[in-house]
Amino acid sequence: MVALDDRRPTAQQLSELNELVRRDITSPAALQLAEAFLALGRPHDAIATLEPHLMSVPSQNDGRVLIARAYADLHMWREAQGELLRVVKVDRGSGRAFALLGEVLMRRDDHERAIPVLQHAQQLDPTSPQILTMLKRARAGQRLDPPPPQPQPLPPRGESGYMAAAVGQMPMSAQMPAYPQPAYDPYQQQQYAQQPYAQPPYQQPPYQQQPPYQQQMMPMPPQVAPGVPMGGSGSQLPRAKGPTQPPPPQMPPKERPRVIPRDKVQNAAAASLRQSAAVGEAYLSELLHGGLLDIAGVRVPDLDFDLRPDRRWGRSTRRAFKLLSVLLVVSITGGGTWYWWSEKQKSEAIKIATKDAKLAVATGELELMRAGAKKLADARDKDPSNLLTQANLAEVDALETLLYAVPAAADEAAAAITACGQELVPGEPGADDLAIAKSALALARLRDATAPAAIAAAKGDLADTAKRLDDLLAKNDGDKWLHWLRGRANLAAGERKLARAQWKTATTGDDALVPALVDLADLEAQDGNLAEALALDDRALKKVPNHTLAVLSRVIALAEANVSARDAIEDLNDKLDTNNDKDIKSKLDKDVADFGPRTVAYRELAWALAQWDLDTTGKALEYEKYARAHAINEPAFWTGLAWLDALRGARADADADRAKAVTFGIGRPELDQVAQAVDVERWLATGHADRALEAAANLAGTRGRQLRATALVDLSKPKEALGEATELAKLTTPKVDKPDPDDPPRPTLDAAVLVAETKMMLSMDPEHDGTTKAMQAASSAMQNKLGAHAFAMAYRAHGAYDDARGVFKAAVDQPDDPDAPNPIDDRSLCWYADTLIEVARAETTKDAADAAAALALAKGSLDEAVARDKDYLPIAAVRAKLLLYQGDVEGASKLLEPAMRELGAMYPTVQLTWAEVLATRAAADKDKAQHLVESLKDKVPPAQLGRVAALIDPKLPEALGVPNPNPQPATPATPAPPPPRGGRHR
């Protein structure tokens, strides 16, 4: 077999292919010969070659595509459509057939049926720009450009002068086959007159009417039995009698066409023929419009109707055609009615689903949003080409992903956005919904950015999202959804003030968005504005009772502010803890399915904070573990965990969680007050009470009051600390309408301990005025050992070191007990050692063994404090004090001097130790030591101040009015001063 070139075939190749086809009509060479004819612009010859081949090999789909292509070149769209229907019926993977069929349908102005055909063709060949162009025009109802004119015959490769031969000047060297003219058929002429899509019979080019060539001619195309149609236009080959013989070297003489008298045309079958032709055309059109291409099992008639003029129609045939006509009219009418009614029902269902989804999205409630998304998905399945439905579905799923972090909703949103593609332009229905969906999904995907490269990419995505929202707001500033999303983008960039402004716009009026109310409430709660946060949550709960996010926002606000923790736990139990599975893992998995991963993460964090407020630290640690297992990568979640870490004294965990609170803006982010509170706790943990007080100066609410009071206590400023503690107690005392006289509302334990500690420190006689008893009651009420530490520090303020030693011992025993932890165990160990040194100093003259034991215990406590947290600066001062007591003045000086540069004037007891070092070291500086001792009057116990003052100058204690450890005997003329009253001198 001769292999064809990718260009025009040569005359020799045509001759060889023609010979192969003549010998065997079923040979695949028939397809190559047809392609050669098409390449030469001779579609009629291609049709004449393929028709007998397809009659012999009816399953040859490639041949049918070729013959359809030939019909299309001749603008015979109906015949091309019939052949292509037979192909696509059995071969759903033929990309050429579907592409050509889509073009044919477009040429016939059948855009409705062309759309699914071209969509399937695009799936088979996604890279074809021609298919994409036709699909867009079909969707827009636009016609294609006018088809190219019918091709003109070209000479084979290597030949020339073909067009000259077509007008009678063809050179003798051209080796082109000559075909006889088909006989005139009046029936075919009438058939073309009745059919609007038919073309006139093919007329051979003039060169075939020239005298026979002198050179050897190419063989004739294969001939078939008489009466078999060869061309889609009705042309037939001459009927041959007997076996086919090779053509003679010269052209046969022309035969005169057979002329049929006019009266024979007007026979009985003429009307039936015309009717049958019209019925056939209508039948084919009805098959196409009736859903022929919508399903895989298409039905195409495989029968060939014999319409030869010598056939006659009987009465039964006419009745059959009449019946078929009636049935056709009835079916068309009924089908049209059914189609209209189904389309109307489908449109109504889509409208209802869209309305319900909009209402569900406005609530922001997970259950309602899921129901709305399901309705939209059902509507989408009924009409996948409806871009408005796709856009609405994308919006609901994307907002569900942003609010609840549901992975399945993210996948659905991404698929719906992809289905919309770039078809929706601004201003069209659904364009704004699609923009909201894209923005919400982009903001939700910021949670996936944890690695440095992902964070850098997320910053670019956030900038693009912000720009898209700004463009939309410029066109529609009244859309509260856009304001809410823009606030979300600002918050993700660390711009809290701008986020608050956007959310205030979205929460004004009766049509305030519930998600915006909840987000603004969270923002106010994080900044310490508890009253404003609870008011916003109440507005959201009035709009949607038991709203998941509103309940969670209220609980977290109460838990972080340490206010009404029991109410918070009741809300958690009633509204967000519906699963009662004994297996905690199964329970949490069910909760994630019911409430979403984001809800479960914040719920477990709220549980842990509330349990810490109630002093049930064991349960708090358990819920913290569950929160970490379902962590959500959001700054508010990580700062909440960091605050919980700081409360329980886990400073390493607090630093790690604080570092995970990443924002995606370009400039320096605005910190929420939870993050600032974590930083304040870090200053307190390192002993920088002055920096902690400065950092807590602008913190509002209960959190700021508590931190400032703690810092003031460490700085030995009990009066200012009492003011902060008193306000803290007022804020944390629950407000009830009818208080019970027997059980009045009480402040939180932390507030009660701070109030009792500062009052005891300010008392002149704590043993008799009841402040010691109140302090003991407040500290005993706490399961953790913060109360014991505060009680011991209050004893130290009055110089009662023996009493402080016993309380400290209780505070440092079993520091790792989960039910009774000591979050500040390193500080307790440090000041316990300092207390033991003072006890040993007092026992030196009484019991040397007790003093040695106290010193050994002090050294062990210091070593343990260093092992727990070496960053607490007062530990170095206490170690220097121990060296000083043991006589190593220079060692104490080297150890204490760097600590003094960091501590400054924060701790009076440390400054007193430094004054002792200055007075006793080799390079003594008693003037500086005296100045320092004088500044510490009324800040340290009088006995300690008198001991150090006596080292500087034996007369200095008397000048300061403090006890002298080595008093001089009083002369009779100068009576001894009365002993000072117990307690702290002011």
Side-chain angles (χ1 to χ4, degrees):
M1 182 181 299
V2 180
L4 288 180
D5 199 353
D6 60 347
R7 296 172 295 178
R8 286 180 294 161
T10 63
Q12 181 65 25
Q13 290 173 334
L14 282 177
S15 176
E16 292 176 1
L17 289 174
N18 214 343
E19 180 63 21
L20 291 174
V21 174
R22 187 189 64 79
R23 292 176 182 177
D24 183 9
I25 193 62
T26 64
S27 172
L31 302 183
Q32 299 181 3
L33 182 59
E35 289 183 349
F37 283 141
L38 290 175
L40 293 174
R42 295 162 60 182
H44 286 286
D45 295 335
I47 294 171
T49 302
L50 288 171
E51 282 192 340
H53 175 76
L54 293 176
M55 292 183 64
S56 302
V57 191
S59 61
Q60 181 59 265
N61 291 331
D62 291 338
R64 295 197 182 277
V65 175
L66 280 176
I67 198 173
R69 177 181 161 193
Y71 285 137
D73 288 346
L74 295 173
H75 301 178
M76 300 169 65
W77 312 117
R78 181 175 64 85
E79 287 77 3
Q81 176 179 303
E83 295 296 338
L84 291 172
L85 287 178
R86 297 188 180 209
V87 177
V88 299
K89 158 184 148 179
V90 297
D91 186 4
R92 299 286 288 180
S94 178
R96 292 194 306 166
F98 275 95
L100 186 54
L101 180 56
E103 180 181 359
V104 169
L105 293 173
M106 290 287 291
R107 296 296 183 191
R108 301 194 70 181
D109 293 335
D110 193 353
H111 302 96
E112 181 179 358
R113 298 302 173 188
I115 291 175
V117 174
L118 291 173
Q119 285 177 342
H120 188 69
Q122 188 186 25
Q123 292 176 359
L124 296 175
D125 186 8
T127 62
S128 174
Q130 292 82 4
I131 296 176
L132 181 60
T133 301
M134 289 191 294
L135 181 58
K136 288 185 177 180
R137 290 201 173 189
R139 287 176 174 168
Q142 299 175 356
R143 291 185 176 182
L144 297 179
D145 295 335
Q150 296 183 9
Q152 296 296 326
L154 300 174
R157 185 163 51 90
E159 300 294 331
S160 60
Y162 184 85
M163 296 309 295
V167 294
Q169 300 176 3
M170 183 174 183
M172 296 298 294
S173 61
Q175 299 181 8
M176 298 299 295
Y179 301 117
Q181 288 280 0
Y184 174 75
D185 193 338
Y187 163 69
Q188 293 178 353
Q189 300 296 330
Q190 292 183 3
Q191 183 180 5
Y192 284 113
Q194 295 292 332
Q195 299 178 4
Y197 292 101
Q199 301 293 330
Y202 170 65
Q203 299 295 331
Q204 293 290 346
Y207 77 89
Q208 294 183 354
Q209 302 176 10
Q210 301 299 321
Y213 302 143
Q214 299 299 324
Q215 300 181 8
Q216 184 179 358
M217 309 305 295
M218 292 178 57
M220 292 285 291
Q223 297 182 358
V224 296
V228 178
M230 296 295 291
S233 63
S235 62
Q236 299 176 351
L237 291 176
R239 301 174 182 173
K241 297 182 180 180
T244 304
Q245 298 296 332
Q250 298 181 356
M251 290 183 61
K254 295 191 296 182
E255 295 181 4
R256 184 176 181 182
R258 180 169 58 92
V259 179
I260 300 177
R262 183 177 299 273
D263 56 346
K264 290 186 178 180
V265 177
Q266 306 295 332
N267 53 37
S272 298
L273 286 172
R274 290 193 296 270
Q275 183 180 5
S276 64
V279 169
E281 169 68 18
Y283 178 67
L284 182 61
S285 178
E286 182 61 27
L287 283 178
L288 181 64
H289 288 276
L292 178 66
L293 300 175
D294 292 342
I295 57 176
V298 291
R299 294 187 53 97
V300 177
D302 293 332
L303 300 178
D304 292 326
F305 298 98
D306 191 357
L307 302 178
R308 289 179 293 177
D310 55 347
R311 295 295 182 182
R312 298 292 184 269
W313 305 105
R315 182 178 300 173
S316 59
T317 305
R318 291 195 295 271
R319 287 198 299 268
F321 272 112
K322 292 179 180 179
L323 178 60
L324 287 174
S325 300
V326 173
L327 292 177
L328 183 62
V329 172
V330 172
S331 63
I332 291 175
T333 304
T337 303
W338 173 84
Y339 180 78
W340 172 81
W341 177 254
S342 62
E343 288 296 318
K344 182 179 179 181
Q345 292 295 105
K346 181 169 63 176
S347 177
E348 290 295 330
I350 292 175
K351 288 181 180 179
I352 294 174
T354 302
K355 181 179 179 181
D356 293 345
K358 289 292 185 183
L359 294 175
V361 168
T363 64
E365 177 61 29
L366 178 60
E367 185 177 355
L368 297 177
M369 294 181 73
R370 284 177 172 174
K374 186 178 183 305
K375 291 181 180 180
L376 282 175
D378 295 339
R380 183 267 316 273
D381 294 340
K382 293 179 181 179
D383 187 6
S385 62
N386 192 321
L387 298 183
L388 178 59
T389 306
Q390 295 279 16
N392 289 326
L393 180 60
E395 179 187 19
V396 176
D397 287 329
L399 291 174
E400 181 181 341
T401 305
L402 179 59
L403 292 172
Y404 297 95
V406 180
D411 297 338
E412 289 288 340
I417 291 173
T418 303
C420 290
Q422 303 295 330
E423 299 295 332
L424 289 176
V425 298
E428 291 185 356
D432 291 344
D433 299 327
L434 184 61
I436 289 175
K438 290 180 179 179
S439 302
L441 190 60
L443 293 174
R445 285 177 173 169
L446 294 177
R447 304 187 186 107
D448 301 331
T450 55
I455 292 174
K459 290 183 178 181
D461 295 340
L462 180 61
D464 295 339
T465 301
K467 184 178 183 304
R468 182 192 303 117
L469 291 171
D470 288 337
D471 293 341
L472 292 173
L473 282 171
K475 299 175 183 177
N476 189 6
D477 187 62
D479 193 334
K480 294 187 175 181
W481 282 108
L482 295 177
H483 283 287
W484 172 65
L485 286 174
R486 191 63 181 91
R488 277 272 187 166
N490 288 329
L491 184 65
E495 301 167 344
R496 299 177 63 84
K497 293 180 180 178
L498 294 178
R500 177 181 279 104
Q502 294 287 352
W503 289 341
K504 283 186 176 180
T505 303
T507 55
T508 55
D510 296 335
D511 59 341
L513 291 181
V514 175
L517 288 169
V518 174
D519 283 349
L520 185 57
D522 291 339
L523 196 68
E524 297 291 356
Q526 292 166 9
D527 290 344
N529 303 321
L530 181 62
E532 292 84 348
L534 295 179
L536 290 167
D537 287 329
D538 290 341
R539 287 181 59 190
L541 290 171
K542 287 181 180 179
K543 282 182 168 292
V544 183
N546 294 333
H547 191 285
T548 302
L549 297 179
V551 171
L552 192 59
S553 174
R554 180 182 179 85
V555 168
I556 292 177
L558 293 174
E560 285 187 342
N562 196 4
V563 177
S564 302
R566 296 189 183 279
D567 295 339
I569 291 178
E570 289 180 2
D571 288 341
L572 287 173
N573 284 326
D574 294 342
K575 300 168 185 178
L576 294 178
D577 194 29
T578 58
N579 297 316
N580 297 318
D581 200 312
K582 294 181 180 180
D583 182 9
I584 185 62
K585 184 178 183 304
S586 300
K587 177 186 182 306
L588 290 176
D589 291 342
K590 292 179 181 177
D591 290 341
V592 168
D594 290 345
F595 304 121
R598 185 170 180 265
T599 305
V600 172
Y602 280 103
R603 186 194 66 180
E604 298 306 307
L605 176 62
W607 270 112
L609 290 169
Q611 294 294 345
W612 182 265
D613 293 343
L614 293 176
D615 201 21
T616 52
T617 55
K619 292 183 178 180
L621 293 175
E622 183 179 0
Y623 284 115
E624 181 186 353
K625 179 180 68 175
Y626 300 150
R628 291 185 183 277
H630 295 80
I632 192 79
N633 189 25
E634 292 182 358
F637 178 80
W638 289 120
T639 53
L641 270 183
W643 173 244
L644 187 61
D645 296 333
L647 290 178
R648 62 183 180 84
R651 284 174 287 280
D653 294 341
D655 293 341
D657 291 335
R658 174 73 175 78
K660 293 178 183 178
V662 178
T663 56
F664 303 95
I666 298 176
R668 186 175 180 179
E670 301 172 13
L671 297 180
D672 62 83
Q673 293 203 7
V674 181
Q676 296 180 48
V678 175
D679 296 340
V680 172
E681 278 287 351
R682 185 59 181 165
W683 289 122
L684 289 173
T686 57
H688 293 87
D690 55 345
R691 298 183 185 180
L693 182 62
E694 182 182 357
N698 296 324
L699 295 183
T702 59
R703 192 184 296 110
R705 297 277 183 187
Q706 183 174 348
L707 291 173
R708 286 193 294 272
T710 304
L712 288 169
V713 168
D714 288 349
L715 292 173
S716 298
K717 297 180 179 180
K719 186 175 182 180
E720 295 88 339
L722 178 60
E724 295 286 352
T726 303
E727 293 298 324
L728 176 65
K730 292 179 181 179
L731 291 175
T732 59
T733 302
K735 295 179 176 59
V736 295
D737 296 335
K738 295 181 179 180
D740 186 357
D742 298 331
D743 187 16
R746 295 182 176 87
T748 59
L749 296 177
D750 292 334
V753 167
L754 280 172
V755 171
E757 180 184 11
T758 51
K759 285 183 177 180
M760 183 177 175
M761 293 174 67
L762 290 171
S763 174
M764 297 296 295
D765 190 1
E767 296 293 339
H768 297 87
D769 60 9
T771 54
T772 301
K773 185 177 181 181
M775 181 72 236
Q776 183 177 8
S779 62
S780 300
M782 300 185 72
Q783 293 186 17
N784 63 51
K785 296 173 182 177
L786 289 174
H789 176 87
F791 195 10
M793 294 299 288
Y795 270 131
R796 279 177 52 86
H798 289 280
Y801 293 107
D802 284 330
D803 296 329
R805 176 177 60 172
V807 180
F808 265 132
K809 188 175 186 304
V812 299
D813 282 348
Q814 299 178 350
D816 295 329
D817 186 0
D819 293 327
N822 186 355
I824 54 174
D825 52 0
D826 55 335
R827 283 176 262 181
S828 295
L829 288 167
C830 174
W831 296 115
Y832 180 39
D834 186 81
T835 302
L836 290 172
I837 293 173
E838 293 296 334
V839 170
R841 198 187 298 276
E843 293 288 339
T844 301
T845 57
K846 299 180 181 178
D847 192 339
D850 289 345
L855 288 177
L857 189 59
K859 185 177 183 304
S861 298
L862 284 174
D863 293 340
E864 187 175 356
V866 171
R868 291 185 177 276
D869 189 356
K870 61 182 179 180
D871 295 332
Y872 188 56
L873 290 177
I875 294 178
V878 177
R879 292 179 66 185
K881 188 175 184 179
L882 179 61
L883 292 176
L884 186 64
Y885 178 78
Q886 293 173 342
D888 188 1
V889 179
E890 296 302 325
S893 176
K894 292 179 181 179
L895 188 62
L896 187 57
E897 188 172 2
M900 282 300 299
R901 286 196 295 267
E902 290 289 335
L903 295 176
M906 284 186 292
Y907 296 94
T909 56
V910 175
Q911 296 179 65
L912 186 63
T913 303
W914 179 241
E916 186 175 357
V917 170
L918 291 176
T920 57
R921 69 182 180 180
D925 190 352
K926 292 190 176 183
D927 291 338
K928 187 175 182 181
Q930 180 176 349
H931 178 73
L932 187 58
V933 166
E934 291 174 351
S935 66
L936 293 176
K937 185 180 179 181
D938 296 335
K939 293 183 180 180
V940 295
Q944 291 188 45
L945 188 64
R947 181 182 61 80
V948 176
L951 293 176
I952 300 172
D953 185 357
K955 299 180 179 180
L956 185 58
E958 182 178 357
L960 295 176
V962 295
N964 192 339
N966 300 311
Q968 298 293 330
T971 61
T974 306
R981 296 179 58 188
R984 184 177 179 188
H985 288 266
R986 302 192 58 78

